[in-house]
Amino acid sequence: MGTKDISTMNNNSKPDIAFIGLGNMGAPMAENLLKAGYTLSVFDLSDAATQRLEKAGARVAQSPKDAASNAQVVISMLPAGQHVHSVYLGDSGANGLLAELPKGTLVIDSSTIAAADARTVADAASQLGIDFLDAPVSGGTGGAIAGSLTFIVGGDDDVFAKAEPILAVMGKNIFHAGEHGAGQVAKICNNMLLGILMAGTAEAINLGVKNGLDPKVLSDIMLQSSGRNWTLEVYNPYPQVMENVPSSNGYQGGFMSKLMQKDLNLAMQTAQDTHVDTPMGAKATELYATHTLENGDKDFSSIMGRHDASVLF
Ligand code: NAD
């Protein structure tokens, strides 16, 4: 295959994009790219996931290589580090998608994975003349649908500049956190705090409910008081307090508890490796470890069920 460099493209033309991983986040992100006029080839292991994108106008590919066959840009939104490793590096470390891509291809991985794993893929890409960015996101499925995600990017300045117009289709705030891996470090700091806030918010609402308060009234009060936080603003964990959130839909969709557990483990590993004290993060990790044993596929706000199991059914 020849060189396909996004930087040499005419300003008016949009690069063709391969999108790999079409789950709760990837599907709406890919749909927003289609709506903005990009041509997409998509791949996912799940047929249900690819059918949704086919209806939206994407070409369904049979493999990551097939998806990338005409693409100048590859975007992935996979569950964890092992999936990113397997897609890009393959079993041997050298027989994955990277080995198939022309020089100058822009690869953006938006999965939340360990910074060390992101650097491993970035190094392999760099040796092949491929531009790589770690670009994890924040904002949940609501942000993915609305195209208002926050992108937290690690990588070189010139590559960041090339990716920015594409990321701007899917997100509202796009931060360049630093070099390769920096996006992932910032992301796990954020998600450690989110895990603490969600566990704490569920605990506070439960205390109020067990003492006779209506969960909606208590939530409204805390929203206008100093306990205000993102979970109360847009992601209340108590059923029926808020519309269109996983807690009002049997904790389906959203951000699975097992993925929050993965992120908390990444934060704890980083804290341990760098000798940083994170006692609140450790407590949230412990709570989610227990919760995930039986509720791994439910949204992470289902930690509410730790206090009142009836909300889970
Ligand atoms: P998900 O499990 O809903 O989707 C992942 C998709 O990847 C699935 O459709 C799965 O079939 C597919 N997949 C797995 N292995 C694959 C492979 N080898 N090739 C192709 N497809 C493969 O997960 P999600 O909620 O969309 O999260 C994706 C990433 O985004 C995770 O790293 C998560 O931590 C992060 N994230 C999620 C949220 C959220 O609110 N859900 C928010 C921010 C970040």
Side-chain angles (χ1 to χ4, degrees):
M1 284 190 268
T3 299
K4 295 179 196 167
D5 187 342
I6 184 177
S7 65
T8 64
M9 293 191 60
N10 171 329
N11 281 342
N12 295 322
S13 68
K14 292 183 162 74
D16 286 4
I17 298 177
F19 205 111
I20 302 168
L22 307 160
N24 289 324
M25 295 294 286
M29 290 165 70
E31 282 169 352
N32 283 332
L33 289 167
L34 286 168
K35 279 185 210 146
Y38 285 89
T39 300
L40 253 65
S41 292
V42 298
F43 176 70
D44 193 292
L45 299 175
S46 146
D47 287 342
T50 52
Q51 276 160 15
R52 170 173 169 180
L53 265 293
E54 189 169 33
K55 280 193 196 125
R59 178 180 78 88
V60 175
Q62 299 310 311
S63 66
K65 181 184 171 185
D66 178 19
S69 58
N70 280 312
Q72 294 85 47
V73 178
V74 177
I75 302 176
S76 50
M77 194 53 171
L78 296 161
Q82 76 255 32
H83 309 94
V84 174
H85 190 285
S86 128
V87 166
Y88 287 116
L89 303 177
D91 307 336
S92 73
N95 63 349
L97 180 59
L98 287 186
E100 307 289 343
L101 297 175
K103 282 189 171 43
T105 305
L106 170 61
V107 175
I108 303 170
D109 179 46
S110 283
S111 326
T112 305
I113 64 174
D117 289 341
R119 288 188 201 110
T120 300
V121 181
D123 288 348
S126 154
Q127 281 171 26
L128 294 162
I130 291 163
D131 292 330
F132 178 83
L133 294 174
D134 46 296
V137 302
S138 180
T141 45
I145 293 165
S148 62
L149 291 169
T150 296
F151 279 88
I152 312 164
V153 184
D156 296 342
D157 288 339
D158 56 330
V159 182
F160 176 75
K162 280 195 240 176
E164 225 178 345
I166 299 169
L167 300 182
V169 172
M170 300 177 283
K172 202 165 66 179
N173 295 297
I174 299 156
F175 290 100
H176 190 188
E179 278 309 313
H180 295 299
Q184 298 295 354
V185 174
K187 170 67 187 172
I188 54 150
C189 292
N190 179 76
N191 272 28
M192 182 180 81
L193 180 57
L194 175 61
I196 294 166
L197 289 173
M198 185 56 90
T201 300
E203 194 171 304
I205 294 176
N206 180 61
L207 180 63
V209 168
K210 293 281 163 61
N211 281 274
L213 288 183
D214 180 298
K216 167 105 177 67
V217 171
L218 174 58
S219 295
D220 286 345
I221 292 167
M222 293 195 292
L223 254 180
Q224 299 306 328
S225 307
S226 43
R228 180 182 188 123
N229 70 76
W230 183 88
T231 72
L232 287 169
E233 283 167 7
V234 300
Y235 219 99
N236 196 294
Y238 202 92
Q240 311 310 335
V241 167
M242 227 172 222
E243 288 180 0
N244 300 322
V245 290
S247 59
S248 296
N249 182 31
Y251 297 102
Q252 298 307 301
F255 180 43
M256 286 183 272
S257 296
K258 65 185 179 193
L259 292 179
M260 172 52 88
Q261 173 66 11
K262 170 203 61 158
D263 292 358
L264 287 165
N265 286 338
L266 289 174
M268 291 305 98
Q269 188 62 53
T270 305
Q272 194 181 320
D273 292 348
T274 50
H275 311 290
V276 177
D277 190 28
T278 51
M280 300 289 286
K283 190 66 194 173
T285 307
E286 183 193 316
L287 295 175
Y288 271 98
T290 313
H291 181 65
T292 301
L293 292 176
E294 291 191 355
N295 302 287
D297 288 342
K298 293 193 176 81
D299 178 73
F300 81 117
S301 61
S302 65
I303 193 83
M304 191 71 234
R306 185 177 178 274
H307 306 285
D308 178 357
S310 70
V311 303
L312 296 174
F313 305 104

